Amino acid sequence: MKERITGSEALMRSLVNEGVEILFGYPGGAIMPTYDALYDHKTDLHHILVRHEQGAVHAAQGYARVSGKVGCAIVTSGPGAMNTVTGIADAMIDSTPMVVICGQVGAAMLGTDAFQEVDVIGVTQPITKWAFQIRNAEDVAWAVSRAFYIAKSGRPGPVVLDFAKNAQTGMVDYEPAKVDFIRSYRPVLSPSEETIRKAAEMINNSVKPLVLVGQGVELGDAREELRTFIEKADMPAGCTLLGLSALPSDHPLNMGMLGMHGNLAPNVMTNQCDLLIAVGMRFDDRVTGNLATYAKQAKIIHFDIDPSEIDKNVKTDLAVVGDCKDTLARVTALLDKQSHEAWKAGFAPYRDREEKKVIEPALHPMEGPLLMGEVVRAVSEATENKAVLVTDVGQNQMFGCRYFKFNEGRSVVTSGGCGTMGFGLPAAIGATFGAPERKVCLFVGDGGLQMTIQELGTIMEQRAPVKIILLNNNYLGNVRQWQYMFFDKRYSFTPMLNPDYEQIASAYNIPACTVTERKDLAGAIDEMLRTEGPYLLQCAVMEEDNVLPMTPPGANVDEMLLEVK
């Protein structure tokens, strides 16, 4: 016999039915009936009270990225819902599975400009995989199951459920729902045997292949398939920003990071290879540089789960559309065992040049103030390269991703496509709940930290063990670098007058210390990592340090600057 319950209680049971364990949220008027139902589910749904709704969605992103599960956020209507929009857009472009549940005024009041009414569906449809308004309690179970299925299937992404108040309070004869098929929605395609054969043939005939590794490898849990693929055909690889931990940093075929601030060798060799094999990446402009000159000498194979990415930016010679865990294995089975020693040797001069010109000075400066690169590498090594790297956006992000090293998958949490300042702190909180057994190290600048600094309150309440490494240069560093290089050193509103961050941390009962001298860095990092719970390590770094190499905007991918004048 079906039990008659409220729509709010149906939501709770539906979330539990989907395996949800963690909710990040903030209550308010239009979502209050749902929060009342949540009061009776404290044992099976752990709710994390954030300090701002943007914090809820970024925390849900961090949780999803490290756990592989769907992140879930719950907020009220109007301004509460609107405060989630940045995180929803961020999740959409970075393919992060997330369900955001927003309160809404009663269905009878829709369109009347009622108190805290906003057209959530109209706002979020362009930045979600699906946005749906629940107007009746009878639709709750179906809508929740469909939302989670869409969010996690195929190319993952965010879904929004706009939950009208009358649907929350209305009664329904509850029955769990299970949506695993939607007509006209084909989340995963399967390439033909002919396509698989052609891909293997192109790789077998290649003399200078280069593999571009994107986040799709992580999302598809295809790390082992990738390693077998590149090792069998002896193909060097470069990784995108979000794909950095898909391949161990010390793997002999890993040539480093692609993109504007990536490593010199894989960027230069992109324009020298005869076959470019993109796996789970979308040819973002920060990776390609000038499209008119990008890899014009090469044949291109594109492995991707999303057919809309094929030929969107770069024209491909062969598209292998499907789940890369499946497609990589199928192609690998047809590959010849190969050796490309001469081709791989061509990377060495560029790696040596970058090592001497950029990396060695960044990691082992002879004198002067602390540098961001040396702080990042010191923390990475102190965690035996096993920690989760979370970054905010800016120079802290680029130095973090360049100099942190990875032994394990799902270890990079950063805002890629959207470049959202303020992402780091709440995302790191979410990561501690998504991977509670791992160290979570957040690198953040003084600008980005202040954008969501209120989430220190969430850390205080939850004792979330985020290790916050504040790289404080008293500037909006990345913008300052561009002003230095391209705007005649006119530092227009990029210097920062900062507060006393140690006092702020103390107010939130978070241990903290500040390092200004190189000799004190190792001890401070050791203290941070040995301290139970959260910690703020402020490093006073060189104010006008620059992230190098750099491909200037509009330049060719192989025209990287190793120094600035």
Side-chain angles (χ1 to χ4, degrees), residues 369-372 395 446 472-478 480-481 491 494-496 498 540-546:
L370 283 168
L371 300 181
M372 293 190 197
Q395 287 187 318
D446 41 308
N472 190 348
N473 60 5
N474 297 305
Y475 273 102
L476 297 176
N478 212 44
R480 182 212 56 78
Q481 178 170 335
Y491 295 161
T494 46
M496 296 279 286
N498 280 308
V541 296
M542 181 178 177
E543 289 194 347
E544 296 188 73
D545 198 4
N546 294 312

Side-chain angles (χ1 to χ4, degrees), residues 255-259 261-268 354 359 402 549 560:
M255 300 299 162
M257 186 169 80
L258 301 162
H261 289 295
N263 295 110
L264 180 64
N267 281 297
V268 170
E354 182 183 355
I359 297 175
R402 277 185 56 83
M560 300 195 82

Side-chain angles (χ1 to χ4, degrees), residues 289-468:
N290 182 8
L291 282 171
T293 60
Y294 182 77
K296 292 302 179 183
Q297 80 293 339
K299 297 286 186 182
I300 297 176
I301 303 174
H302 193 174
F303 289 78
D304 209 284
I305 201 168
D306 185 357
S308 71
E309 288 296 340
I310 305 300
D311 295 336
K312 186 179 78 175
N313 295 325
V314 173
K315 179 67 177 174
T316 59
D317 295 279
L318 183 67
V320 185
V321 180
D323 186 337
C324 63
K325 190 174 183 69
D326 169 62
T327 56
L328 285 174
R330 288 170 63 188
V331 172
T332 301
L334 302 179
L335 292 181
D336 298 333
K337 182 70 175 175
Q338 296 193 58
S339 175
H340 293 294
E341 293 302 324
W343 165 235
K344 290 187 299 181
F347 287 75
Y350 298 106
R351 300 183 82 175
D352 292 344
R353 185 178 169 201
E354 182 183 355
E355 180 72 29
K356 293 173 184 175
K357 192 75 175 179
V358 176
I359 297 175
E360 185 62 26
L363 297 182
H364 303 290
M366 301 300 294
E367 56 185 3
L370 283 168
L371 300 181
M372 293 190 197
E374 67 176 313
V375 174
V376 171
R377 180 60 62 84
V379 173
S380 182
E381 290 178 348
T383 65
E384 299 180 329
N385 303 329
K386 294 179 180 178
V388 174
L389 168 71
V390 185
T391 82
D392 204 77
V393 167
Q395 287 187 318
N396 64 87
Q397 178 185 37
M398 294 297 103
F399 276 113
C401 290
R402 277 185 56 83
Y403 294 111
F404 213 78
K405 297 299 179 183
F406 308 99
N407 289 334
E408 301 179 23
R410 292 193 176 275
S411 294
V412 180
V413 181
T414 192
S415 174
C418 231
T420 304
M421 287 183 69
F423 171 90
L425 188 60
I429 295 171
T432 65
F433 287 98
E437 74 287 355
R438 301 183 66 186
K439 293 282 188 188
V440 174
C441 296
L442 164 67
F443 290 89
V444 61
D446 41 308
L449 178 60
Q450 292 187 80
M451 286 197 170
T452 49
I453 199 169
Q454 73 281 343
E455 298 309 327
L456 291 175
T458 307
I459 291 177
M460 174 183 66
E461 182 171 337
Q462 299 296 328
R463 299 307 296 164
V466 180
K467 307 304 182 185
I468 306 166

